[in-house]
Structures are given as structure tokens and as C-alpha cells.
Amino acid sequence: MREGLLPSTVATVLELQTSGDKARALTELLGEVFDPTETAVSAFEVESGVTTLSLNAPWKVEIYFATHPDEEAVRDMLRPIVGDSIDATPFTTVKQQDWVAASLEGLQPVRAGRVLVHGSHDRAAVKVNDVAIEIAAALAFGTGHHGTTAGCLLALDAELKKRRPRNAIDVGTGTGILALALAKQVKRKVVAGDIDAVASEVSAHNARVNHAPQALDLYVAPGLRHAKANRPRHFDLIFANILAGPLRKLAPAIARALSDDGTVILSGLLEMDVAGVVSAYRHQGLALAKRTSREGWATLVMKRGGAAARPRRLP
């Protein structure tokens, strides 16, 4: 299960509202149990007029299933976290035409610096100097996706104002948005990997749609377990927009692949997960350079300068 890319088809959706700490627990549980190619989850804070984030603020969790699940089994799994209210929460069957329409409605243009991520229905929003990234609506995600992606794109915009990366990698590339945004601006190929072969196909499709078929050097493997990615001290920019658990596990591999003057941009984590992720990377010799928040999701920019790295087996 991952934030940022839905199953290629969606048959059933389960929506519920809960607190931030329970939303995190649900995300972690579902990510451990379900096949990431068959199920996806979105969790984001519901706008309530409150300016500060809180563990007790209302959060919306959306769980997408490629096939209709065993409803009672899912309820039994979630009940210890959300309580008996799960028994009254309906599973919604989604028709294919309804899903495409919903995707079109949810995929609003996302602007971050010069980059504009948009669907084909919003081509008119592209301005002359924009770095436009067009993503097929049926392959895009919702609000949570935009929060993490926009956070990474803004961090990239700030990085490009300082320097132009020579060797970059997008770990867990999903739809390939981040890698494409970088490749189109620096005119260099970007390594992009994902554990899911469907994600790689989607990224290749999006590269073609955006007239950059050679922009991505794609691979399919967990994390950095591939010859294109497992290159010590090679990458001066690393993206990882996934979830908090995988981000922590990938800390040793990412730190090993990062060049001495490199930058790591991390997202896909809730605000309450920041401390644990920062700690994991600090133990690998990286320090937090900047932290931002968007739609309840945090984006971290990290550079070398933390504590001495602790030896650990490559994930």
C-alpha cells in the first residue's frame, strides 16, 4: 500500500473519519497487511478552521481496493483502532465511469514554483514559462497526494535556486511526477524506481505524455536494491515520497547512496511521524535542514551533518 498511486482499477472505497493518531495507526496497519498493487490509502486532516495541527483534530481516511474485499474481515481488523463505529461505516462500490469522473474532479492543478501538475482537462491552465507535468486523471491520487507531492516540488524549487543536481534518484517514484519535474528542468536523465511494476509502466507512460520519453531511467525493485540505485556516494539529490515506515527502513540505504554534498527530500509522512524519521536519518549522519507542512503532510530536507552513521544492513 502506498500514498500517491492508486490500484490501476478501483472497485471499492471505504471512507471514515477519525483522529490523527488513529489515522496514522490505520495507515501503518493497512500497509503491512495488504498488497500495495491491490490497495491504497489516503489520510489527510479535515479543514476545521484551526491553524495548528493536532493528534485529536478530525482526519479523513480513504481506503481503495482493486477488488471487493471481505468486509467483515476488514472491519474486524480495523475495530481495535477505530472502535465499534466501523460496523456502521459502509463500503462503497465504484463503477469505472464513476471513478474516472471522481478522479477528474479531485485532480486540480497543483502549482509549486515553476512546476504545474495538471490533468489533460486543465491544459488551458498552463502558462508560457511553466514546467508543465500532465498526469492522467485515472492514475492520479487525491488531496493527500497533492500535499506530499507539492511539498517535494517546492523543496525542489528551492534546491534548484542554489544548484543544478548532476545525479538524482526518485525512490518510490509512483507516477513519476517528481523525477519528471526535475528532469525537465535540468535536462538530465533521472533514475526512478518503484517496488511495483505497474508504477514503472505509469511513469514511462507519463514521460511519453510529457514529451520526455528518455527522461527517466526506470527500475523495479524494493527501495534501492538495484544496480541503478545502489551506488555509494553517487546521488546529489534523492527524493523519497512514500510513507513513514518505509522511510525509516530506507535511511541506511539512502544515506549510503547520498554524495558528500547531497540533499535528501523526504515526504509521505504525517506530522506526528517527523521525529521518528528525523531520528532515523540523524543516526545515519544526516541533519534536518528544513521542514515544511502542507495539508497535514510534512516534507523534510536533509543534508549530511548529523550524528555518526550507525552500521546497518542494506534494506
Side-chain angles (χ1 to χ4, degrees), residues 82-164:
V82 299
D84 292 339
S85 62
I86 192 64
D87 294 331
T89 305
F91 287 76
T92 303
T93 299
V94 182
K95 296 180 181 179
Q96 185 63 32
Q97 60 268 30
D98 292 340
W99 166 238
V100 173
S103 297
L104 286 167
E105 180 181 353
L107 184 63
Q108 300 300 318
V110 178
R111 182 174 294 280
R114 291 183 58 211
V115 176
L116 182 73
V117 181
H118 67 93
S120 59
H121 58 295
D122 276 318
R123 289 173 183 162
V126 178
K127 298 179 181 179
V128 174
N129 293 322
D130 284 345
V131 177
I133 308 293
E134 182 174 315
I135 303 297
L139 299 174
F141 209 72
T143 306
H145 169 69
H146 292 166
T148 61
T149 304
C152 288
L153 289 172
L154 288 169
L156 171 62
D157 185 63
E159 184 73 9
L160 291 177
K161 290 176 180 177
K162 302 173 186 176
R163 63 172 183 168
R164 297 172 70 85

Side-chain angles (χ1 to χ4, degrees), residues 76 112 223:
D76 289 344

Side-chain angles (χ1 to χ4, degrees), residues 23-99:
R24 178 180 65 172
L26 286 171
T27 300
E28 293 180 347
L29 171 64
L30 294 165
E32 291 292 331
V33 172
F34 288 104
D35 182 343
T37 65
E38 295 292 326
T39 312
V41 63
S42 169
F44 51 92
E45 190 175 22
V46 177
E47 292 197 15
S48 58
V50 179
T51 57
T52 57
L53 293 167
S54 169
L55 290 175
N56 295 317
W59 280 67
K60 185 176 182 180
V61 178
E62 299 173 344
I63 308 167
Y64 300 83
F65 301 91
T67 57
H68 195 81
D70 182 331
E71 294 186 10
E72 286 308 309
V74 173
R75 288 195 174 97
D76 289 344
M77 184 187 311
L78 303 186
R79 191 175 295 108
I81 297 176
V82 299
D84 292 339
S85 62
I86 192 64
D87 294 331
T89 305
F91 287 76
T92 303
T93 299
V94 182
K95 296 180 181 179
Q96 185 63 32
Q97 60 268 30
D98 292 340
W99 166 238

